[in-house]
Amino acid sequence: MSTGALYNDQPGGAEAAVEAGQETTPTSSSTGAAFGLFSSDFKKNEDLKEMLESNKESLKLEAMKRIVQLISKGKKSSDLFPAVVKNVASKNIELKKLVYVYLVRYAEEQQDLALLSISTFQRALKDPNQFIRASALRVLSSIRVPIIVPIMMLAIKEAASDLSPYVRKTSAHAIQKLYSLDADQKEHLIEVIEKLLKDKSTLVAGSVVMAFEEVCPDRIDLIHKNYRKLCNLLVDVEEWGQVVIINMLTRYARTQFTSPWKEDAVFDDNEKTFYDSDSEEKQGQTEAKPYIMDPDHRLLLRNTKPLLQSRNTAVVMAVAQLYWHLAPKHEVSIVTKSLVRLLRSHREVQYVVLENIATMSIQRKGMFEPYMKSFYVRSTDATHIKTLKLEILTNLANEANISTILREFQTYVKSQDKAFAAATIQAIGRCATNISEVTDTCLNGLVLLLSNRDETVVAESVVVIKKLLQTQPTQHSDIIKHMAKLFDNITVPMARASILWLMGEYCERVPKIAPDVLRKMAKSFTSEEDIVKLQTVNLAAKLYLTNSKQTKLLTQYILNLGKYDQNYDIRDRTRFIRQLIVPNEKSGALNKYARRILLASKPAPVLESAFKDRDRFQLGTLSHSLNVKAAGYQELSDWPAVAPDPSVRNVEVIEPVREWAPSVGKAKQPKSDKFYSDDEEKEEEGSGSGSEDSSSSGSSSSSEESGSESEEESSEESGKTSSDSGKSSSGSEASSSESEPKQKKKKRTKKATQRKSKSTAADSDSDENGNGPVGKTSSSSAESSSESDSEEDSDADSPPPPPQKKTVAKTKPKVEVKTKKEVSLLDLDDFSPAPPSAPKSSVFSSSLLSDLEGLSLSNVSSAMQVTTPAFGPVKTYELLHHMTGKGFSAKYHFPRQPCLYQPSMVAVQVILTNSSDHSLEEIHIEDLSPASLNIHCFNTVERLEPGASVTVSMGIDFSDSTQAANFQLCTKEDQFSVSVQPAVGELLMPSTMTEPDFCNEQKKLMGMNETSVSITMATANTSKQNISKQVLSVANVGVVSSGQNDLQRFAGRTVSSGALVLVTLELREASTALLTINTEKSVMASMLLRDLKQALSQS
């Protein structure tokens, strides 16, 4: 695109030409100026046309780059359509791609010319290049001419069966375009949607669900068979696809599951309880049985939970609304922290998130009360953001926190933003109404504001006081008198009208002041605003009825003035009042009821939130934001009283007999739960671990193979890997699936020998791999953690426990017992004997000796040994799996030693192992990303013999961030994409200091630099030694000696910037403790706090 910028700087360029035309305008006539501009445009396009008609491919390519650049700047270039469309048959792939980009933009405008090239587009649908096939379909669907509907329909059907997931994704997009062009094709399109919904590619899922929502959102029967697959694929779908799928599944769940909001609900994640209760449902009575959550309902909640960590705010908002509408009430608070995190985003995002929080905080104050400080107004906030934060603070107000909130409001009242100050006074009024204990305090505060210099503040105070006085008028006649004295100084019409209303309503309580106020109003009646005039007429009428001696003449005078007023409302009101209160022959019986009509007791106004009725709309929708039902809004249905048949979501797959299946831990495998097995294979392929167990799926191994190739193609299209690496990795998957039985035999015997030689070190390794969801990412990409999450979910929800293929046992004590006694010959990477309901474990097992058997003491940080002799084992993470690496595997760990290369780098040791049957040569690192990370690579390993291992050292400057370091691990023949992701505790180095020094430094890091949380300690972690052990297992910090038994301190510095990190653990009663972290790095503090809390609260 840089060439386009140069072109615009040249005299013959588009910008220069237009400027030249404009420069001629002062000396020429208007006609001449117009012609000058026209001719310059003409010349500019002629220049590009000549380049497009040239015989040189380079000139054509340059011209197309310039044209696409013009389009990106919003400049019109439709007159170039004939010249561009000629090049659609070019053999140059780059040129062809740019031509299709242009055609997609202008095909709808230039339909006739586009139709001339339709045969070329049809030929391009058969092109070997997936980009060209997809682009041709995109252009074809952009031609909005009914005559080509049959051609489009045929093209969509063919593309839906394409081997490339990118083309299938494009066909899903084309479905929506064709439906908007010809709705009569709906039935045919539904057939294509049904086919695409069965697609296993994560690239296609979001697009086809979007097509489903556009074409047939009421056809829920299409979702039944694909529900579990969509839930399990969700975490790997691209972000905007996740939003669409989550919204669709929210609607689906509201029609298929019963409400979890019943008072007698039972929430037990234990699988046995689910299915025992299912049998009870069939026998028991409907009214007496307790609520048991459907396993598929739980599957949806569990698989969406990890997406709360998404970087995309729309995804987080979608998950939040799903939990709000579907989750049991005690689980909804899970989304709170993620929503509060979004408040650090852009102003537009803040506005939408705050609107949704305002609605949620009305019903469930407890959710956001711990994060009340996040809603304090900042001086940089826009007025609409300030108003929303004010709304939320008012919703959160209760007896416990009202004093804090009112102190905050006192500051807001002094704001220079007048609209915000007025809104604050309204908020004070709402607090006074809702919390009776502070009503008097608020009233006194508002009365003090009446002497404020700012008219807006005074006016709003008067209006709010008027509403508050209606709740208890007998006690506050003094306030009414005070307001009457200030009446002359108040100029805002609404405030004057409010005071007049109060005088009239409570005229009997201020009998001397009210007539005097009426006298003053009679003088200035003609110059007042309409709203003040109306209240003056009302005041006159009420005083006439209660004190006619003093006010009879004044009332007649005001009624005469109102009779001839310019405003018809005032004239009508005057005539009505005259007939009502002044008796004559015409007034009749109505005159008798005048006092009852005008002086009737009126109910006190209820000060309510503006967001009270917004919960009728689904959170996160446009309708909710506008508080009006927008076009296309689909209402959430009510929960069904009786859940529909859950068996409709079962998928029948015929499985071949597996003679080699081991008996231990696999007894239930060939039963009815075939969907999960199939799905897990898909996930394994997605992460590049090979289709190790493809015979368990219903489809043939060749179809699985094509699926994995499609995945590689999709990643290649998005620019994440090069075409070569895509081919090599897909090739490796193909070869692995072909030689599957042989590899299985080799693998099991090899693993058996490795078990004997490596002892429990391998157990430790595989356990770390299994701990992805806990926050210790260990595979070569984020997919591994999502896989283990989704597999865990399917474990807990499927009727028979499905086979776990990749993740290992969730807790180490389980791994110890079973691997040593029952499945010692099995590869733990493929088979997990852990029960499905095993919880996520802490990092360490209870038996420390077995964990330490295979570990070298030399790996323990020397700095740690100096500062503290406490225990600190090394955790090993997988960098490259031997199946993905064609026999080449790599693992890494953080030795917690100072890095030799640079002090700001974290030392990383990588163990390279050759498990193949041939030597590997020239093992090295390439393509480091992101570019901002400073990585010191290890020296090239010239040769690695079969069965040999070598340990190499690297240094990575993570810049105090847990962002993964991505690079290519290359051999002479292949290259593999891998990543090193540090835990936050590995970014620290121990610091030695005395207790007084610690306290002095801690005082400097108070306020915004302090993060604390109350935790419940596990019984095993209450001793001083165990606490040190758990803290050091999470973070590379030093122990600070303390003279107090109930206080433990740890100090460290960040490796990259040297920022001080101070950890304090104060033990309290009943196994509780206060964990405090003081550091300038607030993000690191919150992450470290989470990891430490998890380690200390789990035994």
Side-chain angles (χ1 to χ4, degrees):
M1 288 298 178
S2 59
T3 52
L6 290 171
Y7 167 69
N8 286 334
D9 293 335
Q10 293 169 1
E15 305 288 346
V18 174
E19 286 172 13
Q22 288 173 338
E23 284 170 6
T24 61
T25 53
T27 56
S28 60
S29 65
S30 60
T31 311
F35 179 73
L37 285 169
F38 172 76
S39 63
S40 65
D41 269 356
F42 178 72
K43 286 177 185 176
K44 172 191 71 176
N45 292 337
E46 277 298 308
D47 181 21
L48 291 171
K49 283 177 184 174
E50 285 176 12
M51 292 174 75
L52 287 169
E53 289 168 3
S54 165
N55 292 327
K56 293 183 178 179
E57 293 286 335
S58 59
L59 281 175
K60 290 181 178 179
L61 194 59
E62 183 66 24
M64 283 310 304
K65 284 180 180 178
R66 293 179 185 178
I67 291 167
V68 171
Q69 188 182 28
L70 289 174
I71 293 171
S72 68
K73 289 181 176 179
K75 295 180 180 176
K76 194 173 182 181
S77 54
S78 56
D79 53 334
L80 292 165
F81 195 92
V84 172
V85 82
K86 289 178 186 175
N87 294 291
V88 75
S90 170
K91 292 181 180 178
N92 187 317
I93 297 295
E94 291 299 317
L95 178 60
K96 196 181 262 192
K97 284 181 186 177
L98 291 173
V99 169
Y100 276 118
V101 169
Y102 177 90
L103 292 177
V104 168
R105 170 67 181 80
Y106 286 110
E108 196 166 342
E109 290 182 22
Q110 305 278 346
Q111 292 177 353
D112 295 337
L113 288 171
L115 281 171
L116 295 175
S117 304
I118 201 161
S119 58
T120 310
F121 303 146
Q122 286 180 283
R123 281 200 304 276
L125 291 170
K126 308 286 186 185
D127 194 278
N129 188 302
Q130 58 183 352
F131 283 113
I132 303 303
R133 296 200 300 276
S135 298
L137 180 59
R138 198 177 284 119
V139 173
L140 203 59
S141 59
S142 299
I143 303 173
R144 317 289 293 164
V145 180
I147 197 170
I148 66 162
V149 165
I151 297 173
M152 285 172 64
M153 191 71 236
L154 190 63
I156 288 171
K157 284 183 175 177
E158 288 182 3
S161 305
D162 198 281
L163 288 176
S164 165
Y166 183 69
V167 179
R168 301 200 295 274
K169 176 191 177 85
T170 309
S171 73
H173 292 163
I175 287 171
Q176 301 164 59
K177 294 182 182 178
L178 179 54
Y179 181 70
S180 64
L181 181 64
D182 184 5
D184 295 337
Q185 300 293 324
K186 182 174 180 178
E187 291 305 316
H188 298 294
L189 291 174
I190 289 175
E191 292 175 13
V192 181
I193 289 171
E194 188 173 7
K195 181 180 181 181
L196 287 173
L197 278 170
K198 296 174 184 174
D199 201 302
K200 295 180 180 179
S201 171
T202 54
L203 199 65
V204 181
S207 302
V208 68
V209 170
M210 188 68 228
F212 169 83
E213 291 282 78
E214 287 287 323
V215 178
C216 52
D218 52 337
R219 287 288 305 273
I220 286 178
D221 56 296
L222 298 179
I223 304 299
H224 289 324
K225 298 289 183 187
N226 302 291
Y227 172 81
R228 292 172 185 164
K229 183 193 71 178
L230 287 172
C231 287
N232 286 323
L233 289 185
L234 189 57
V235 78
D236 293 319
V237 176
E238 47 92 19
E239 291 166 344
W240 297 112
Q242 288 174 343
V243 176
V244 176
I245 293 173
I246 289 169
N247 286 328
M248 184 274 291
L249 290 178
T250 304
R251 288 195 304 106
Y252 177 87
R254 284 293 284 258
T255 63
Q256 299 300 308
F257 309 126
T258 53
S259 173
W261 302 335
K262 296 173 183 174
E263 291 180 6
D264 57 347
V266 173
F267 300 100
D268 190 352
D269 294 349
N270 194 322
E271 204 172 83
K272 291 180 181 177
T273 311
F274 284 154
Y275 299 101
D276 289 346
S277 65
D278 281 348
S279 60
E280 287 166 17
E281 275 180 24
K282 295 172 185 174
Q283 303 162 6
Q285 296 157 3
T286 53
E287 60 268 13
K289 70 184 179 192
Y291 169 81
I292 302 294
M293 182 175 281
D294 189 292
D296 289 324
H297 191 170
R298 174 60 65 193
L299 177 70
L300 175 60
L301 294 176
R302 281 190 181 163
N303 282 18
T304 50
K305 184 179 175 182
L307 297 180
L308 289 170
Q309 313 289 332
S310 175
R311 63 184 177 182
N312 188 310
T313 51
V315 175
V316 178
M317 194 63 244
V319 177
Q321 66 83 25
L322 179 137
Y323 264 78
W324 180 257
H325 293 297
L326 300 182
K329 290 183 179 179
H330 68 277
E331 291 184 26
V332 179
S333 56
I334 290 171
V335 307
T336 309
K337 193 178 288 187
S338 300
L339 288 175
V340 171
R341 171 172 64 87
L342 298 186
L343 298 181
R344 300 172 190 158
S345 191
H346 303 293
R347 186 177 291 179
E348 297 80 9
V349 173
Q350 284 185 50
Y351 179 72
V352 174
V353 173
L354 285 168
E355 276 195 324
N356 287 281
I357 291 176
T359 302
M360 297 164 88
S361 61
I362 293 171
Q363 292 185 26
R364 298 178 195 167
K365 293 183 181 182
M367 276 179 65
F368 296 96
E369 203 175 326
Y371 302 93
M372 193 170 68
K373 288 183 181 177
S374 301
F375 304 108
Y376 285 174
V377 172
R378 301 170 186 268
S379 56
T380 52
D381 287 338
T383 303
H384 59 281
I385 300 291
K386 290 177 180 176
T387 311
L388 279 171
K389 285 186 174 180
L390 201 62
E391 178 73 33
I392 294 166
L393 285 173
T394 312
N395 291 343
L396 297 180
N398 56 33
E399 292 84 353
N401 60 27
I402 186 64
S403 57
T404 310
I405 289 176
L406 286 179
R407 276 201 304 273
E408 193 74 13
F409 285 177
Q410 283 174 9
T411 312
Y412 299 164
V413 169
K414 299 170 188 173
S415 170
Q416 296 298 314
D417 186 341
K418 304 306 174 195
F420 173 56
T424 304
I425 293 168
Q426 290 178 3
I428 293 171
R430 270 182 57 200
C431 289
T433 310
N434 298 337
I435 304 165
S436 56
E437 289 84 353
V438 294
T439 304
D440 293 341
T441 310
C442 292
L443 259 177
N444 294 335
L446 291 171
V447 170
L448 289 174
L449 289 176
L450 292 176
S451 56
N452 197 294
R453 293 179 183 178
D454 190 348
E455 289 181 2
T456 314
V457 173
V458 174
E460 201 63 46
S461 301
V462 169
V463 175
V464 173
I465 288 171
K466 171 205 148 190
K467 292 176 181 176
L468 290 178
L469 288 181
Q470 285 182 260
T471 59
Q472 39 189 343
T474 53
Q475 304 169 18
H476 300 293
S477 56
D478 292 339
I479 294 175
I480 299 172
K481 291 174 185 176
H482 182 66
M483 292 169 74
K485 290 175 186 175
L486 296 171
F487 184 75
D488 293 340
N489 299 325
I490 296 172
T491 56
V492 177
M494 189 64 194
R496 289 173 71 85
S498 296
I499 293 175
L500 290 173
W501 186 90
L502 277 172
M503 293 293 162
E505 189 66 19
Y506 308 114
C507 55
E508 293 173 345
R509 303 190 190 283
V510 282
K512 294 181 181 178
I513 296 174
D516 194 50
V517 171
L518 183 64
R519 178 183 59 78
K520 290 179 182 178
M521 287 308 303
K523 288 183 183 178
S524 60
F525 185 85
T526 53
S527 60
E528 296 289 349
E529 292 288 331
D530 293 342
I531 188 171
V532 182
K533 290 178 180 177
L534 286 171
Q535 290 304 327
T536 305
V537 172
N538 283 350
L539 175 61
K542 290 174 182 177
L543 286 174
Y544 182 86
L545 293 173
T546 57
N547 189 2
S548 59
K549 286 183 181 179
Q550 286 183 288
T551 57
K552 185 175 182 180
L553 293 174
L554 272 175
T555 302
Q556 288 177 355
Y557 175 70
I558 287 170
L559 291 176
N560 286 334
L561 287 175
K563 185 178 180 180
Y564 300 104
D565 196 88
Q566 292 181 352
N567 187 295
Y568 56 82
D569 281 335
I570 295 166
R571 295 198 300 270
D572 290 348
R573 177 72 64 88
T574 305
R575 291 192 191 98
F576 166 69
I577 293 292
R578 189 188 294 276
Q579 294 298 321
L580 183 63
I581 64 172
V582 181
N584 55 28
E585 301 90 24
K586 294 181 182 178
S587 59
L590 191 61
N591 182 252
K592 298 175 186 176
Y593 303 103
R595 181 179 286 270
R596 290 174 63 181
I597 291 171
L598 289 173
L599 297 174
S601 59
K602 300 170 183 64
V606 181
L607 299 175
E608 290 183 337
S609 169
F611 289 80
K612 187 170 185 184
D613 59 340
R614 292 206 187 191
D615 57 354
R616 67 183 190 276
F617 296 114
Q618 186 176 349
L619 290 186
T621 59
L622 179 64
S623 299
H624 175 270
S625 189
L626 299 175
N627 202 19
V628 173
K629 187 173 180 179
Y633 173 73
Q634 295 178 2
E635 291 187 1
L636 280 180
S637 60
D638 293 328
W639 295 100
V642 179
D645 182 13
S647 65
V648 294
R649 289 184 289 277
N650 295 340
V651 179
E652 294 183 9
V653 180
I654 300 170
E655 289 194 29
V657 177
R658 284 183 273 181
E659 297 175 2
W660 52 270
S663 59
V664 180
K666 292 283 185 177
K668 295 185 181 180
Q669 190 173 351
K671 285 193 180 179
S672 62
D673 185 28
K674 293 148 189 167
F675 180 87
Y676 291 113
S677 309
D678 199 23
D679 192 66
E680 284 171 6
E681 275 185 28
K682 176 70 190 78
E683 288 178 6
E684 277 200 351
E685 287 183 11
S687 66
S689 61
S691 52
E692 295 176 7
D693 216 355
S694 60
S695 59
S696 67
S697 69
S699 57
S700 66
S701 60
S702 62
S703 67
E704 290 285 27
E705 202 177 329
S706 68
S708 78
E709 285 176 14
S710 305
E711 285 295 308
E712 287 299 323
E713 284 180 346
S714 68
S715 61
E716 181 182 321
E717 290 150 14
S718 58
K720 291 181 183 173
T721 57
S722 64
S723 57
D724 295 338
S725 66
K727 287 171 187 173
S728 70
S729 55
S730 60
S732 73
E733 289 179 13
S735 63
S736 69
S737 59
E738 285 167 9
S739 59
E740 196 175 347
K742 294 178 184 177
Q743 283 189 351
K744 281 289 173 185
K745 290 176 184 177
K746 284 182 187 177
K747 186 174 180 185
R748 279 180 282 160
T749 53
K750 191 180 295 177
K751 283 290 176 181
T753 56
Q754 285 179 3
R755 281 287 176 272
K756 293 174 184 176
S757 61
K758 293 191 181 179
S759 185
T760 53
D763 297 352
S764 152
D765 296 346
S766 58
D767 183 55
E768 292 307 322
N769 294 337
N771 268 333
V774 182
K776 307 284 185 289
T777 314
S778 57
S779 66
S780 60
S781 72
E783 286 179 56
S784 66
S785 65
S786 63
E787 274 184 38
S788 59
D789 247 339
S790 58
E791 289 181 9
E792 176 196 338
D793 298 338
S794 61
D795 285 348
D797 299 326
S798 55
Q804 295 184 356
K805 296 176 188 170
K806 186 165 183 182
T807 57
V808 296
K810 301 291 182 243
T811 55
K812 268 211 174 166
K814 305 280 182 188
V815 174
E816 281 185 325
V817 174
K818 297 215 172 184
T819 51
K820 291 183 179 177
K821 294 182 181 179
E822 297 180 24
V823 281
S824 58
L825 296 178
L826 295 179
D827 180 3
L828 286 178
D829 290 336
D830 299 321
F831 303 99
S832 172
S837 59
K840 295 178 181 177
S841 73
S842 64
V843 181
F844 301 101
S845 75
S846 58
S847 175
L848 299 173
L849 290 174
S850 60
D851 283 333
L852 284 171
E853 273 177 9
L855 298 176
S856 168
L857 291 176
S858 63
N859 286 339
V860 180
S861 168
S862 60
M864 278 184 59
Q865 289 171 354
V866 171
T867 55
T868 172
F871 154 81
V874 175
K875 291 171 284 229
T876 306
Y877 307 90
E878 187 173 70
L879 188 66
L880 179 67
H881 192 272
H882 65 88
M883 290 300 294
T884 311
K886 303 178 184 177
F888 176 39
S889 63
K891 295 178 180 178
Y892 69 93
H893 64 266
F894 299 96
R896 294 190 174 180
Q897 295 174 348
C899 186
L900 300 172
Y901 312 115
Q902 278 185 30
S904 62
M905 286 184 171
V906 177
V908 181
Q909 287 192 353
V910 183
I911 302 166
L912 306 173
T913 307
N914 182 4
S915 304
S916 65
D917 54 2
H918 61 277
S919 300
L920 298 175
E921 297 179 354
E922 298 179 19
I923 302 171
H924 61 285
I925 286 176
E926 289 181 3
D927 297 340
L928 308 177
S929 71
S932 58
L933 281 186
N934 183 14
I935 302 178
H936 187 283
C937 307
F938 60 80
N939 295 328
T940 302
V941 178
E942 297 297 337
R943 188 180 184 86
L944 190 62
E945 297 298 332
S949 294
V950 63
T951 302
V952 292
S953 295
M954 297 176 62
I956 304 176
D957 187 351
F958 289 103
S959 302
D960 296 343
S961 163
T962 54
Q963 180 183 12
N966 303 307
F967 50 88
Q968 298 274 349
L969 188 58
C970 307
T971 62
K972 191 173 183 180
E973 293 87 10
D974 297 304
Q975 52 185 6
F976 310 98
S977 296
V978 295
S979 68
V980 174
Q981 174 121 29
V984 67
E986 304 297 346
L987 303 178
L988 306 175
M989 56 183 177
S991 179
T992 309
M993 61 171 65
T994 62
E995 190 172 9
D997 290 341
F998 184 97
C999 296
N1000 289 334
E1001 292 294 340
Q1002 193 174 31
K1003 287 174 185 175
K1004 298 175 187 176
L1005 294 169
M1006 302 297 279
M1008 298 292 287
N1009 297 323
E1010 183 173 277
T1011 312
S1012 61
V1013 68
S1014 249
I1015 59 174
T1016 304
M1017 303 281 286
T1019 50
N1021 295 335
T1022 50
S1023 70
K1024 203 166 185 178
Q1025 184 181 359
N1026 285 347
I1027 290 172
S1028 297
K1029 186 193 334 172
Q1030 293 292 1
V1031 171
L1032 295 174
S1033 70
V1034 172
N1036 186 18
V1037 290
V1039 177
V1040 178
S1041 57
S1042 172
Q1044 304 172 46
N1045 288 330
D1046 60 345
L1047 204 61
Q1048 285 194 262
R1049 297 186 172 99
F1050 305 87
R1053 291 185 181 274
T1054 58
V1055 175
S1056 183
S1057 64
L1060 203 59
V1061 178
L1062 306 177
V1063 180
T1064 310
L1065 187 72
E1066 183 182 353
L1067 295 175
R1068 295 182 173 178
E1069 296 177 358
S1071 297
T1072 59
L1074 180 66
L1075 180 62
T1076 307
I1077 296 179
N1078 299 79
T1079 180
E1080 295 171 358
K1081 304 284 184 180
S1082 55
V1083 177
M1084 285 186 72
S1086 60
M1087 295 171 73
L1088 186 58
L1089 199 72
R1090 180 194 64 201
D1091 292 351
L1092 286 172
K1093 181 181 177 182
Q1094 187 175 11
L1096 292 166
S1097 59
Q1098 292 182 359
S1099 56

